[in-house]
């Protein structure tokens, strides 16, 4: 069914049809369209534009249509341009003239904006929920190895030993910020565009507050032109997902490194690895590579859509139809990565000994030696210089750093600094990577996790 027969004398060219139809990808919006359409019908009843009986008959018709979609028996007619048209066409088939009243005081412009906000509201919740699953997997892995440590890196050079749990929780904090951002975006999108009509509202006596409330939006639009033009919520969602994707990409890169023979800090469980079609010995971390790779696509979806929006005159333009594919793709891809990465971390075997050996690189104690000197009254810059000289000597003479330090009679009492894990134990500043600060951090993390999950 086309929605505008009256004015035209020739039908649409097939090349334009192919360019213009969106049913092939927007049919996934059926449930959200029907949700909006049900509220719209109720709004028409409240406005006196439909009788109560007409309202309930249309409600039943919409239920029937939803059941057809759910069962997979809904049949698209070749003339259905998009899911919204298809639903109205089917309602008219099932309810006759009554179906033809359904679009009273509504345009596809406010309809599609409403539908997409409802979809995005649910999608944001879903992505936030799945992000928390990954947070839990990271925290659990840390809990399984409470005493494990590894070198912490800056510039990918060994810097200081850190607790594994601290390292993993650094990723968890990033994800918790992502969750907060996703849910903030959900809060901002919670404005109903229904009732804005094509762009300027309607002369018919509808009240957008009625439908807004039924759809559990926070409030109806204030400006009808903004209501049909605004896709900030799509751009924001694409950004929030892209940033989550970038965090996932950084985790992915780290897993690729950790599971390489060169690091050998960890291996992934067999169900989360792949083999090689040619090299029998290979066990590849494809999950981590795909997590790394998908971020490119997520950033692309964001960038592409921002460019689509740029320069659009008010109000609705058909360009806005291009909001859907990037949005659907980003939501789907990030959910896939979040789920697979949670599984990958749950399956991860951390090579405690190998990582500890790397972390026990004596040069990593250099800062602790300098800080002990500070405790003894040496100004930090002088302590840094003195320890730097000792490191240089150890490197030049190829003598263990401990031997150089402890060979200096003034520093002989620093021996305990070179005991396994001593550096971590001495590190007690708030938020630091050590067993003492860990308890407080864990409480803060659990609290942030609880706040996030209470907002779902
Ligand atoms: N499929 C269209 C979209 O997604 C529906 C709106 C079309 N509106 C119009 N005036 N042509 O944007």
């Amino acid at each position: 069914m086309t929605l505008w027969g009256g004015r035209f004398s020739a039908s649409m060219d097939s090349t334009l049809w192919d360019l213009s139809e969106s049913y092939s990808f927007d049919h996934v919006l059926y449930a959200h369209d029907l949700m909006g359409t049900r509220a719209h019908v109720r709004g028409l009843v409240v406005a006196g534009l439909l009788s109560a009986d007409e309202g309930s008959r249309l409600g039943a018709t919409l239920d029937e249509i939803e059941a057809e979609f759910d069962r997979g028996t809904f049949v698209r007619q070749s003339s259905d341009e998009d899911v919204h048209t298809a639903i109205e066409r089917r309602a008219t088939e099932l309810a006759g003239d009554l179906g033809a009243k359904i679009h009273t005081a509504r345009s596809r412009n406010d309809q599609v904006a409403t539908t997409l906000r409802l979809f995005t509201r649910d999608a944001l919740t879903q992505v936030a929920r799945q992000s928390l699953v990954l947070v839990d997997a990271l925290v659990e892995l840390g809990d399984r190895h409470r005493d494990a440590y590894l070198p912490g890196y800056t510039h990918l050079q060994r810097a200081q030993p850190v607790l594994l749990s601290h390292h993993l929780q650094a990723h968890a904090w990033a994800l918790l910020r992502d969750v907060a951002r996703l849910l903030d975006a959900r809060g901002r999108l919670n404005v109903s565009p229904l009732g804005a009509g094509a762009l300027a509202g309607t002369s018919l006596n509808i009240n957008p507050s009625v439908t807004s409330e039924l759809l559990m939006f926070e409030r109806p639009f204030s400006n009808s032109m903004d209501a049909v033009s605004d896709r900030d919520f799509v751009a924001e969602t694409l950004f929030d997902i892209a940033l989550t994707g970038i965090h996932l990409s950084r985790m992915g890169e780290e897993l690729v490194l950790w599971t390489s023979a060169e690091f050998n800090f960890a291996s992934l469980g067999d169900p989360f690895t792949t083999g090689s079609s040619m090299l029998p010995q290979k066990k590849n971390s494809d999950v981590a590579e795909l997590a790394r790779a998908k971020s490119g696509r997520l950033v692309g979806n964001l960038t592409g859509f921002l460019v689509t929006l740029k320069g659009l005159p008010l109000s609705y333009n058909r360009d806005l139809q291009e909001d859907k594919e990037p949005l659907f793709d980003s939501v789907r891809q990030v959910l896939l990565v979040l789920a697979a990465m949670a599984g990958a971390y749950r399956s991860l075997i951390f090579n405690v000994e190998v990582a500890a050996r790397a972390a026990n690189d004596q040069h990593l104690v250099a800062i602790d030696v300098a800080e002990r000197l500070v405790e003894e009254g040496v100004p930090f810059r002088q302590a840094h210089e003195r320890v730097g000289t000792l490191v240089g000597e150890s490197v030049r003479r190829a003598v263990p750093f401990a031997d150089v330090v402890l060979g200096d009679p003034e520093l002989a009492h620093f021996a305990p600094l070179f005991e396994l894990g001593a550096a971590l134990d001495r590190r007690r500043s708030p938020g630091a990577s050590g067993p003492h600060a860990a308890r407080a951090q864990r409480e803060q993390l659990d609290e942030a996790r609880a706040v996030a999950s209470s907002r779902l």
Side-chain angles (χ1 to χ4, degrees), residues 22 26 82 84 108-109 112 316 318 320-321 324:
S22 57
D26 70 15
D82 58 20
H84 318 290
R108 267 189 306 161
N109 298 352
V112 78
Y316 178 85
R318 192 59 183 277
L320 293 177
Q321 181 169 291
K324 288 169 203 65

Side-chain angles (χ1 to χ4, degrees), residues 125-370:
T125 307
Q126 232 184 324
V127 176
R129 181 169 289 127
Q130 196 60 53
S131 302
L132 290 182
V133 172
L134 179 54
V135 167
D136 293 345
L138 288 161
V139 172
E140 279 159 30
L141 177 59
D143 285 354
R144 256 190 280 140
H145 300 284
R146 272 182 206 282
D147 303 322
Y149 54 102
L150 71 160
Y153 297 83
T154 61
H155 316 272
L156 201 57
Q157 305 288 337
R158 287 178 187 168
Q160 291 184 274
V162 294
L163 286 172
L164 174 67
S165 57
H166 188 78
H167 186 119
L168 295 169
Q169 283 171 30
H171 293 311
W173 281 109
L175 289 168
L176 286 172
R177 286 194 297 278
D178 292 333
V179 170
R181 234 184 318 270
L182 291 159
L183 298 177
D184 290 351
R186 190 185 63 178
R188 262 187 300 281
L189 76 65
N190 218 6
V191 176
S192 177
L194 197 55
L199 78 162
T202 165
S203 62
L204 296 168
N205 179 34
I206 53 155
N207 179 0
S209 298
V210 171
T211 42
S212 171
E213 204 169 306
L214 284 168
L215 294 169
M216 290 191 298
F217 283 116
E218 219 169 81
R219 60 184 174 83
F221 64 95
S222 300
N223 181 309
S224 60
M225 292 176 80
D226 183 40
V228 296
S229 312
D230 174 19
R231 293 294 185 278
D232 292 0
F233 66 100
V234 176
E236 264 195 75
T237 302
L238 291 175
F239 171 79
D240 293 350
I241 290 177
L243 190 54
T244 302
I246 281 168
H247 293 144
L248 291 165
S249 172
R250 295 176 72 172
M251 290 178 219
E253 166 63 3
E254 181 175 281
L255 286 182
V256 170
L257 290 174
W258 281 10
T259 57
S260 68
E262 282 64 26
F263 273 77
N264 192 26
F265 286 179
S267 54
L268 290 168
D270 282 357
F272 287 91
T273 52
T274 53
S276 156
S277 59
M278 179 171 170
L279 310 175
Q281 86 285 6
K282 288 301 291 293
K283 180 173 165 178
N284 296 327
S285 304
D286 291 27
V287 59
E289 293 171 288
L290 287 166
R292 190 174 58 188
K294 295 285 189 188
S295 61
R297 180 165 170 178
L298 301 177
V299 173
N301 286 338
L302 168 65
T303 319
F305 184 59
L306 285 174
V307 178
T308 299
L309 285 181
K310 178 192 161 299
L312 288 186
L314 286 175
S315 58
Y316 178 85
N317 298 273
R318 192 59 183 277
D319 311 48
L320 293 177
Q321 181 169 291
E322 289 293 305
D323 54 4
K324 288 169 203 65
E325 284 167 294
L327 179 66
F328 298 162
D329 185 60
S330 285
V331 169
R332 194 176 123 72
Q333 296 302 323
V334 82
L335 286 173
L336 289 173
V337 177
L338 284 166
M341 284 291 271
Y345 279 109
R346 270 190 234 105
S347 83
L348 192 107
I349 296 154
F350 191 73
N351 297 336
V352 178
E353 274 94 51
V354 176
R357 215 176 305 129
N360 285 325
D361 176 338
Q362 288 186 355
H363 289 146
L364 273 55
V365 179
I367 182 62
D368 301 285
V369 175

Side-chain angles (χ1 to χ4, degrees), residues 54-65:
E54 287 177 319
S56 56
R57 273 161 50 213
L58 271 179
T61 303
L62 296 173
D63 290 348
E64 201 174 327
I65 295 174

Side-chain angles (χ1 to χ4, degrees), residues 73-100:
T73 57
F74 185 91
V75 181
R76 177 200 184 178
Q77 298 298 312
S78 59
S79 55
D80 292 337
E81 183 188 87
D82 58 20
V83 68
H84 318 290
T85 321
I87 288 171
E88 190 185 335
R89 186 260 312 151
R90 184 69 180 138
T92 310
E93 271 169 19
L94 292 171
D97 282 351
L98 188 51

